[in-house]
Amino acid sequence: MKIYISIFSSLFLLLACKQPDPKPAAPDPQKMAANYRLISSLKDSIQSGDMIFRNGMDEVSRAARSFNRKDTSFSHCGILMIENDSIFVYHSLGGSYNPSQRLMRQALDSFCNPAENNAIAVYRFPLKPAQHQKLQETVSTYYRAGLRFDLYFDYKSDDKMYCAEFVFKSLNRAVDNALTSYVRMDTIPYGVTTDDLFLHPDSRLISRKNFIY
């Protein structure tokens, strides 16, 4: 497992820390406007605590998808929170995309950016009101503490977390560790992967949007 983690983290670091590729041609304004309308169409159905997934089109995203266990539909994920009538995504991201390496709080439209991603989806775990509250408190605590991105993808550590690990551990804490049995420590990749979250039997699809190009 240590060898696997080393290979994965080395590949991720190589891609995430390299200089960005030259910017592609500017996207079609009409198509981008249509894509942002797709994002807006999600907003009325979103609840605090929902999971959001996106599929990036760059090399780092392709590498991340390849380490999903079964389904390579999405490369990154976060937790949605409604705050003062605005929707934010809390997510753990590293490399040149997030120089501080700290847990990000990003507006929904920015997280979904259709110039960089070709699909998004919202999924929901069934949470009781008290569990929703605990999830919000957990995410807020991680954010205030400046939780760092885990460059080595070590699920066993809690002081740093990769994207799926942050989402899973936040939800698991909210439900008093009821999800722990779903963690895979007997196979590679071990811990949790992005697709483990949306393929979980209790996870319900709220909406999926494929962007127009």
Side-chain angles (χ1 to χ4, degrees), residues 73-90:
S73 295
F74 301 105
S75 57
H76 187 58
C77 58
I79 296 176
L80 289 156
M81 290 292 172
I82 301 173
E83 301 171 358
N84 299 320
D85 298 324
S86 296
I87 303 175
F88 294 95
V89 181
Y90 288 83

Side-chain angles (χ1 to χ4, degrees), residues 14-170:
L14 177 64
L15 294 173
C17 297
K18 77 180 188 69
Q19 291 297 316
D21 295 328
K23 290 185 177 181
D28 183 298
Q30 291 185 337
K31 290 181 179 178
M32 287 301 101
N35 289 332
Y36 277 109
R37 287 194 293 272
L38 288 176
I39 297 171
S40 293
S41 70
L42 287 175
K43 295 179 180 179
D44 288 341
S45 61
I46 286 173
Q47 295 180 5
S48 285
D50 286 348
M51 302 179 293
I52 186 165
F53 299 83
R54 73 185 186 193
N55 188 44
M57 298 183 288
D58 62 353
E59 293 179 27
V60 175
S61 299
R62 286 193 288 273
R65 283 195 303 274
S66 71
F67 286 91
N68 283 359
R69 206 179 303 280
K70 296 179 180 178
D71 188 324
T72 58
S73 295
F74 301 105
S75 57
H76 187 58
C77 58
I79 296 176
L80 289 156
M81 290 292 172
I82 301 173
E83 301 171 358
N84 299 320
D85 298 324
S86 296
I87 303 175
F88 294 95
V89 181
Y90 288 83
H91 61 115
S92 184
L93 188 67
S96 60
Y97 301 95
N98 180 25
S100 75
Q101 308 297 304
R102 295 177 182 270
L103 186 68
M104 295 184 71
R105 174 181 179 267
Q106 193 171 17
L108 176 65
D109 286 7
S110 179
F111 175 87
C112 297
N113 188 357
E116 299 176 353
N117 302 279
N118 59 27
I120 55 174
V122 174
Y123 283 78
R124 179 177 301 157
F125 271 94
L127 299 177
K128 299 176 181 178
Q131 293 170 333
H132 272 289
Q133 181 63 33
K134 191 170 183 179
L135 177 60
Q136 290 177 312
E137 292 171 356
T138 298
V139 171
S140 179
T141 297
Y142 282 141
Y143 183 70
R144 291 196 307 269
L147 179 71
R148 299 276 181 159
F149 179 76
D150 189 350
L151 293 171
Y152 296 99
F153 297 84
D154 182 6
Y155 182 83
K156 293 182 180 179
S157 67
D158 291 330
D159 58 327
K160 299 178 181 180
M161 298 184 192
Y162 57 90
C163 66
E165 179 185 7
F166 159 69
V167 173
F168 181 85
K169 287 184 174 178
S170 296

Side-chain angles (χ1 to χ4, degrees), residues 175-194:
V175 297
D176 296 324
N177 299 317
L179 301 176
T180 300
S181 61
Y182 196 67
V183 177
R184 297 294 302 273
M185 303 303 291
D186 60 334
T187 184
I188 294 176
Y190 80 98
V192 290
T193 57
T194 300

Side-chain angles (χ1 to χ4, degrees), residues 181-210:
S181 61
Y182 196 67
V183 177
R184 297 294 302 273
M185 303 303 291
D186 60 334
T187 184
I188 294 176
Y190 80 98
V192 290
T193 57
T194 300
D195 60 327
D196 282 337
L197 296 168
F198 61 84
L199 292 178
H200 190 283
D202 291 335
S203 179
R204 179 167 65 91
L205 175 64
I206 301 303
S207 184
R208 174 173 178 161
K209 304 295 182 183
N210 295 316

